[in-house]
Amino acid sequence: GFQVTLLNDDDIERGDLARFSAIVIGVRAYNTRPRLLAAQKRMLDWVARGGRLVVQYQTPNAALENKLGPYPFRISSDRVTVEDAPVTMHNPAQPLLASPNRIEPGDFSGWVQERGLSFANPWDKAYEAPLSCEDPGEPVRYGGLLYAKHGKGVFIYSGYAWFRQLPAGVPGAWRLFANLVSSGS
């Protein structure tokens, strides 16, 4: 039910962003589109006016450190490679886990290939990290999903592997991704 518009660099730099309720930045987009990072202040201003910016995983790069969100965070090489690694929800009432779909443990069943990669670590205390997971024998990874209010809007960074789950038709991934682009409604 979502209407999708692909945005080029000119759209991001000079287009009317107010016509969008959410913008999703694709996997590694900042790594491959230099003009996108140059327009980040404009996008964060749009978030402050009420937009929802969802940034999918980017590869660690010093040029991106503390520049993507309204508050500092660093993209790390932290990842969880076991696709059925248990996921802990730290606050089920958190907006990303509660609306419009109530996310439950079963929503993490049937994921393919991995949970995620390039998790945030470390991050500013202004962010919430509502989920954690871990590979066997590895430390708990909290930075797969960050959420912060910024002005009237919401900024989200996610290292979870949506690019694998959505094409595979994983129902819980679709439900949670719908919450990401609907948060703050």
Side-chain angles (χ1 to χ4, degrees), residues 2 6-7 21 50 54 56 58 60-61 71 75 88 103 105 110 114 117 119 137 141 151-152 171 176:
F2 291 107
L6 297 178
L7 302 176
S21 61
V54 179
Q56 295 183 71
Q58 308 295 308
N61 181 329
Y71 314 104
I75 299 169
T88 300
I103 302 304
E114 61 194 333
L117 61 165
F119 284 17
R141 307 291 185 196
K152 296 178 182 177
L176 183 50

mmCIF file of all heavy atoms in Angstrom, residues 2 6-7 21 50 54 56 58 60-61 71 75 88 103 105 110 114 117 119 137 141 151-152 171 176:
data_model
loop_
_atom_site.group_PDB
_atom_site.id
_atom_site.type_symbol
_atom_site.label_atom_id
_atom_site.label_comp_id
_atom_site.label_asym_id
_atom_site.label_seq_id
_atom_site.Cartn_x
_atom_site.Cartn_y
_atom_site.Cartn_z
ATOM 1 N N PHE A 2 2.141 1.156 -0.040
ATOM 2 C CA PHE A 2 2.971 2.355 -0.069
ATOM 3 C C PHE A 2 3.202 2.782 -1.507
ATOM 4 O O PHE A 2 3.382 1.962 -2.398
ATOM 5 C CB PHE A 2 4.346 2.088 0.577
ATOM 6 C CG PHE A 2 4.281 1.867 2.062
ATOM 7 C CD1 PHE A 2 4.451 0.605 2.593
ATOM 8 C CD2 PHE A 2 4.059 2.928 2.927
ATOM 9 C CE1 PHE A 2 4.389 0.398 3.959
ATOM 10 C CE2 PHE A 2 4.001 2.732 4.294
ATOM 11 C CZ PHE A 2 4.166 1.456 4.809
ATOM 12 N N LEU A 6 11.383 6.873 -6.608
ATOM 13 C CA LEU A 6 12.839 6.825 -6.570
ATOM 14 C C LEU A 6 13.382 8.241 -6.700
ATOM 15 O O LEU A 6 12.962 8.992 -7.582
ATOM 16 C CB LEU A 6 13.382 5.938 -7.688
ATOM 17 C CG LEU A 6 12.982 4.467 -7.606
ATOM 18 C CD1 LEU A 6 13.551 3.688 -8.794
ATOM 19 C CD2 LEU A 6 13.433 3.843 -6.302
ATOM 20 N N LEU A 7 14.303 8.611 -5.816
ATOM 21 C CA LEU A 7 14.856 9.959 -5.794
ATOM 22 C C LEU A 7 16.290 9.946 -6.302
ATOM 23 O O LEU A 7 17.102 9.142 -5.860
ATOM 24 C CB LEU A 7 14.838 10.518 -4.367
ATOM 25 C CG LEU A 7 13.468 10.590 -3.689
ATOM 26 C CD1 LEU A 7 13.611 11.060 -2.252
ATOM 27 C CD2 LEU A 7 12.541 11.493 -4.465
ATOM 28 N N SER A 21 6.324 11.530 3.411
ATOM 29 C CA SER A 21 6.260 11.302 4.857
ATOM 30 C C SER A 21 7.462 10.502 5.325
ATOM 31 O O SER A 21 7.854 10.596 6.490
ATOM 32 C CB SER A 21 4.963 10.573 5.226
ATOM 33 O OG SER A 21 4.897 9.316 4.584
ATOM 34 N N GLY A 50 9.283 17.036 10.555
ATOM 35 C CA GLY A 50 8.263 15.992 10.654
ATOM 36 C C GLY A 50 8.482 14.774 9.778
ATOM 37 O O GLY A 50 7.649 13.867 9.775
ATOM 38 N N VAL A 54 14.811 6.763 7.138
ATOM 39 C CA VAL A 54 15.256 5.409 7.458
ATOM 40 C C VAL A 54 16.517 5.154 6.643
ATOM 41 O O VAL A 54 16.457 5.122 5.409
ATOM 42 C CB VAL A 54 14.179 4.364 7.117
ATOM 43 C CG1 VAL A 54 14.678 2.951 7.427
ATOM 44 C CG2 VAL A 54 12.871 4.667 7.848
ATOM 45 N N GLN A 56 19.277 2.513 5.722
ATOM 46 C CA GLN A 56 19.682 1.113 5.767
ATOM 47 C C GLN A 56 21.196 1.022 5.868
ATOM 48 O O GLN A 56 21.900 2.002 5.660
ATOM 49 C CB GLN A 56 19.193 0.386 4.522
ATOM 50 C CG GLN A 56 17.682 0.320 4.434
ATOM 51 C CD GLN A 56 17.242 -0.462 3.234
ATOM 52 O OE1 GLN A 56 17.383 -1.682 3.194
ATOM 53 N NE2 GLN A 56 16.736 0.234 2.236
ATOM 54 N N GLN A 58 25.092 0.889 5.900
ATOM 55 C CA GLN A 58 26.170 1.465 5.091
ATOM 56 C C GLN A 58 27.451 0.788 5.566
ATOM 57 O O GLN A 58 27.537 0.387 6.724
ATOM 58 C CB GLN A 58 26.272 2.978 5.302
ATOM 59 C CG GLN A 58 24.967 3.735 5.128
ATOM 60 C CD GLN A 58 24.421 3.679 3.714
ATOM 61 O OE1 GLN A 58 25.118 3.978 2.758
ATOM 62 N NE2 GLN A 58 23.160 3.286 3.576
ATOM 63 N N PRO A 60 31.218 0.581 7.002
ATOM 64 C CA PRO A 60 31.999 1.498 7.836
ATOM 65 C C PRO A 60 32.939 2.349 6.976
ATOM 66 O O PRO A 60 33.604 1.852 6.072
ATOM 67 C CB PRO A 60 32.801 0.554 8.738
ATOM 68 C CG PRO A 60 32.044 -0.724 8.738
ATOM 69 C CD PRO A 60 31.393 -0.816 7.387
ATOM 70 N N ASN A 61 32.947 3.647 7.268
ATOM 71 C CA ASN A 61 33.735 4.585 6.477
ATOM 72 C C ASN A 61 33.935 5.830 7.339
ATOM 73 O O ASN A 61 32.962 6.423 7.809
ATOM 74 C CB ASN A 61 32.959 4.914 5.196
ATOM 75 C CG ASN A 61 33.664 5.866 4.278
ATOM 76 O OD1 ASN A 61 34.410 6.737 4.709
ATOM 77 N ND2 ASN A 61 33.408 5.723 2.996
ATOM 78 N N TYR A 71 22.269 12.946 15.757
ATOM 79 C CA TYR A 71 23.170 12.794 16.889
ATOM 80 C C TYR A 71 24.286 11.837 16.451
ATOM 81 O O TYR A 71 24.092 11.021 15.548
ATOM 82 C CB TYR A 71 22.420 12.247 18.106
ATOM 83 C CG TYR A 71 21.110 12.956 18.328
ATOM 84 C CD1 TYR A 71 19.906 12.344 17.990
ATOM 85 C CD2 TYR A 71 21.075 14.255 18.826
ATOM 86 C CE1 TYR A 71 18.696 13.014 18.152
ATOM 87 C CE2 TYR A 71 19.874 14.926 18.992
ATOM 88 C CZ TYR A 71 18.684 14.296 18.649
ATOM 89 O OH TYR A 71 17.501 14.966 18.802
ATOM 90 N N ILE A 75 29.298 3.702 12.401
ATOM 91 C CA ILE A 75 28.977 2.415 11.794
ATOM 92 C C ILE A 75 30.172 1.503 12.025
ATOM 93 O O ILE A 75 31.305 1.864 11.718
ATOM 94 C CB ILE A 75 28.686 2.572 10.296
ATOM 95 C CG1 ILE A 75 27.477 3.487 10.092
ATOM 96 C CG2 ILE A 75 28.455 1.211 9.647
ATOM 97 C CD1 ILE A 75 27.270 3.929 8.660
ATOM 98 N N THR A 88 16.139 -10.094 21.016
ATOM 99 C CA THR A 88 15.514 -9.609 22.245
ATOM 100 C C THR A 88 14.914 -8.238 21.975
ATOM 101 O O THR A 88 15.578 -7.365 21.423
ATOM 102 C CB THR A 88 16.554 -9.505 23.384
ATOM 103 O OG1 THR A 88 17.109 -10.806 23.606
ATOM 104 C CG2 THR A 88 15.925 -8.990 24.662
ATOM 105 N N ILE A 103 5.028 -6.074 16.984
ATOM 106 C CA ILE A 103 6.079 -7.033 16.657
ATOM 107 C C ILE A 103 6.241 -8.006 17.823
ATOM 108 O O ILE A 103 6.296 -7.593 18.984
ATOM 109 C CB ILE A 103 7.404 -6.305 16.342
ATOM 110 C CG1 ILE A 103 7.208 -5.312 15.185
ATOM 111 C CG2 ILE A 103 8.515 -7.298 16.026
ATOM 112 C CD1 ILE A 103 6.657 -5.912 13.894
ATOM 113 N N PRO A 105 8.045 -12.115 18.994
ATOM 114 C CA PRO A 105 9.192 -12.982 18.680
ATOM 115 C C PRO A 105 9.040 -13.762 17.371
ATOM 116 O O PRO A 105 10.020 -13.927 16.634
ATOM 117 C CB PRO A 105 9.271 -13.908 19.892
ATOM 118 C CG PRO A 105 8.726 -13.073 21.020
ATOM 119 C CD PRO A 105 7.610 -12.264 20.384
ATOM 120 N N GLY A 110 12.155 -17.397 10.223
ATOM 121 C CA GLY A 110 12.217 -17.537 8.776
ATOM 122 C C GLY A 110 13.118 -16.562 8.061
ATOM 123 O O GLY A 110 13.084 -16.465 6.838
ATOM 124 N N GLU A 114 21.249 -14.045 7.175
ATOM 125 C CA GLU A 114 21.858 -13.359 8.317
ATOM 126 C C GLU A 114 20.828 -12.430 8.938
ATOM 127 O O GLU A 114 19.813 -12.101 8.334
ATOM 128 C CB GLU A 114 23.076 -12.550 7.877
ATOM 129 C CG GLU A 114 22.743 -11.454 6.868
ATOM 130 C CD GLU A 114 23.976 -10.889 6.171
ATOM 131 O OE1 GLU A 114 25.064 -10.934 6.751
ATOM 132 O OE2 GLU A 114 23.825 -10.406 5.047
ATOM 133 N N LEU A 117 24.227 -6.579 9.440
ATOM 134 C CA LEU A 117 25.627 -6.224 9.339
ATOM 135 C C LEU A 117 25.791 -4.718 9.468
ATOM 136 O O LEU A 117 24.825 -3.970 9.370
ATOM 137 C CB LEU A 117 26.211 -6.716 8.016
ATOM 138 C CG LEU A 117 25.601 -6.177 6.727
ATOM 139 C CD1 LEU A 117 26.535 -6.490 5.575
ATOM 140 C CD2 LEU A 117 24.247 -6.766 6.436
ATOM 141 N N PHE A 119 26.306 -2.873 12.064
ATOM 142 C CA PHE A 119 25.532 -2.309 13.163
ATOM 143 C C PHE A 119 26.224 -1.043 13.663
ATOM 144 O O PHE A 119 27.429 -0.894 13.522
ATOM 145 C CB PHE A 119 25.436 -3.306 14.311
ATOM 146 C CG PHE A 119 24.466 -4.442 14.100
ATOM 147 C CD1 PHE A 119 23.971 -4.780 12.851
ATOM 148 C CD2 PHE A 119 24.067 -5.199 15.173
ATOM 149 C CE1 PHE A 119 23.088 -5.831 12.680
ATOM 150 C CE2 PHE A 119 23.181 -6.255 15.029
ATOM 151 C CZ PHE A 119 22.688 -6.573 13.781
ATOM 152 N N GLY A 137 28.394 -17.559 21.007
ATOM 153 C CA GLY A 137 29.744 -17.291 21.474
ATOM 154 C C GLY A 137 30.240 -15.876 21.257
ATOM 155 O O GLY A 137 31.391 -15.568 21.552
ATOM 156 N N ARG A 141 24.796 -7.810 20.392
ATOM 157 C CA ARG A 141 24.876 -6.653 19.486
ATOM 158 C C ARG A 141 23.571 -5.862 19.600
ATOM 159 O O ARG A 141 22.499 -6.360 19.267
ATOM 160 C CB ARG A 141 25.073 -7.099 18.035
ATOM 161 C CG ARG A 141 26.233 -8.038 17.810
ATOM 162 C CD ARG A 141 27.554 -7.353 18.016
ATOM 163 N NE ARG A 141 28.636 -8.275 17.663
ATOM 164 C CZ ARG A 141 29.878 -8.098 18.008
ATOM 165 N NH1 ARG A 141 30.234 -7.055 18.710
ATOM 166 N NH2 ARG A 141 30.792 -8.974 17.655
ATOM 167 N N GLY A 151 13.363 16.926 16.409
ATOM 168 C CA GLY A 151 12.320 17.907 16.138
ATOM 169 C C GLY A 151 10.972 17.201 16.127
ATOM 170 O O GLY A 151 10.647 16.446 17.037
ATOM 171 N N LYS A 152 10.222 17.386 15.051
ATOM 172 C CA LYS A 152 8.913 16.738 14.913
ATOM 173 C C LYS A 152 9.009 15.390 14.213
ATOM 174 O O LYS A 152 8.000 14.727 14.017
ATOM 175 C CB LYS A 152 7.976 17.647 14.112
ATOM 176 C CG LYS A 152 7.664 18.955 14.801
ATOM 177 C CD LYS A 152 6.768 19.810 13.927
ATOM 178 C CE LYS A 152 6.487 21.149 14.577
ATOM 179 N NZ LYS A 152 5.678 22.014 13.715
ATOM 180 N N PRO A 171 7.556 -12.647 6.233
ATOM 181 C CA PRO A 171 6.426 -11.843 6.736
ATOM 182 C C PRO A 171 6.773 -10.913 7.886
ATOM 183 O O PRO A 171 6.377 -9.747 7.888
ATOM 184 C CB PRO A 171 5.396 -12.894 7.165
ATOM 185 C CG PRO A 171 5.737 -14.115 6.383
ATOM 186 C CD PRO A 171 7.230 -14.086 6.203
ATOM 187 N N LEU A 176 7.852 -5.467 10.308
ATOM 188 C CA LEU A 176 8.730 -4.543 11.030
ATOM 189 C C LEU A 176 9.172 -3.392 10.130
ATOM 190 O O LEU A 176 9.203 -2.241 10.555
ATOM 191 C CB LEU A 176 9.942 -5.296 11.592
ATOM 192 C CG LEU A 176 10.923 -4.469 12.435
ATOM 193 C CD1 LEU A 176 10.248 -3.663 13.523
ATOM 194 C CD2 LEU A 176 11.995 -5.375 13.019
#
